[in-house]
C-alpha cells in the first residue's frame, strides 16, 4: 500500500497515539485505502478502575451512558478519529484544497468500529496473518478501484 497525503496523516497520528497512551501496545498493523487493521494490546495492569469508581451508581449510568472508559480501546479509537480529522482539515486549509472539510455531514470515519478479543496464541497467529496478507487481497475488495 502506498499512502496518499491523508493516509500519511492517519499513519502518523496512529503512531503518535501509542506514544501518548502508555497503556496500549501495538501488534501487527496495516493501513488500507478504506480501513485499517491492528492488533492493539491493552495492558490491564496499567488500567485504572477510575471509570467504575466514578460511574458505578445506576443514577450516574442514566446520566452518563456513553462515556468512554479511560485507557480503553474505545477511548483510543475516539481520540484517533478526532486527531486525524483535525490534522486532515488543517492540511486542507494549508494547501488550499478545494474539497470540503470533514464533519458530521461529511464524515471521514464510520461511526463505529469492529473489535475482537484475541483469546489464545493460535487466534493471534490467524489474525496476524490476515493483517499481514490484507494488502494482497485489496484487488478483491468491493471498494478498491479496478
Amino acid at each position: 500500500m502506498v499512502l496518499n497525503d491523508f493516509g500519511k496523516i492517519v499513519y502518523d497520528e496512529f503512531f503518535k497515539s501509542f506514544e501518548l497512551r502508555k497503556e496500549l501496545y501495538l501488534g501487527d498493523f496495516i493501513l488500507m485505502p478504506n480501513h485499517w487493521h491492528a492488533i492493539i494490546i491493552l495492558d490491564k495492569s496499567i488500567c485504572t478502575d477510575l471509570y467504575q469508581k466514578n460511574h458505578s451508581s445506576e443514577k450516574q449510568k442514566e446520566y452518563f451512558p456513553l462515556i468512554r472508559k479511560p485507557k480503553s480501546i474505545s477511548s483510543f479509537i475516539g481520540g484517533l478519529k478526532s486527531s486525524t480529522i483535525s490534522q486532515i482539515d488543517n492540511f486542507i486549509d494549508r494547501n488550499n484544497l478545494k474539497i470540503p472539510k470533514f464533519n458530521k455531514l461529511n464524515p471521514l470515519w464510520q461511526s463505529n468500529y469492529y473489535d475482537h478479543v484475541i483469546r489464545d496464541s493460535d487466534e493471534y497467529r490467524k489474525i496476524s496473518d490476515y493483517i499481514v496478507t490484507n494488502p494482497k487481497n485489496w484487488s478483491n475488495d468491493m471498494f478498491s478501484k479496478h
Side-chain angles (χ1 to χ4, degrees):
M1 290 287 127
V2 177
L3 301 177
N4 64 16
D5 290 328
F6 290 179
K8 290 174 187 172
I9 291 170
V10 172
Y11 185 89
D12 290 345
E13 290 301 308
F14 186 80
F15 283 96
K16 282 181 193 174
S17 295
F18 285 94
E19 292 171 14
L20 296 172
R21 297 173 182 271
K22 301 298 183 194
E23 72 278 5
L24 299 178
Y25 299 91
L26 180 60
D28 289 304
F29 165 75
I30 188 70
L31 181 60
M32 301 293 289
N34 67 341
H35 66 282
W36 55 271
H37 297 282
I39 295 176
I40 299 172
I41 301 159
L42 181 59
D43 184 351
K44 292 188 179 200
S45 67
I46 297 173
C47 292
T48 67
D49 59 351
L50 179 64
Y51 179 84
Q52 292 173 337
K53 286 179 181 173
N54 290 318
H55 300 93
S56 59
S57 75
E58 289 305 314
K59 187 168 190 146
Q60 286 173 319
K61 288 178 186 174
E62 178 182 325
Y63 291 111
F64 304 106
L66 300 176
I67 292 178
R68 291 187 185 106
K69 293 180 183 180
K71 299 186 178 191
S72 65
I73 298 296
S74 62
S75 177
F76 165 76
I77 298 292
L80 179 62
K81 287 179 178 181
S82 177
S83 67
T84 55
I85 289 170
S86 293
Q87 293 302 318
I88 288 172
D89 283 349
N90 290 343
F91 181 88
I92 291 169
D93 287 342
R94 279 193 313 273
N95 293 282
N96 297 315
L97 299 180
K98 302 297 181 214
I99 61 173
K101 291 189 186 182
F102 295 97
N103 55 42
K104 289 182 181 182
L105 298 175
N106 182 36
L108 174 65
W109 296 106
Q110 66 185 34
S111 60
N112 211 340
Y113 63 94
Y114 174 77
D115 64 344
H116 174 78
V117 176
I118 298 174
R119 305 227 180 255
D120 58 41
S121 59
D122 286 339
E123 191 173 13
Y124 186 98
R125 265 193 305 284
K126 287 177 189 172
I127 292 171
S128 176
D129 288 345
Y130 177 82
I131 291 170
V132 170
T133 60
N134 204 257
K136 293 178 188 173
N137 299 317
W138 175 243
S139 62
N140 297 326
D141 189 288
M142 65 186 216
F143 295 110
S144 72
K145 309 269 190 267
H146 295 283

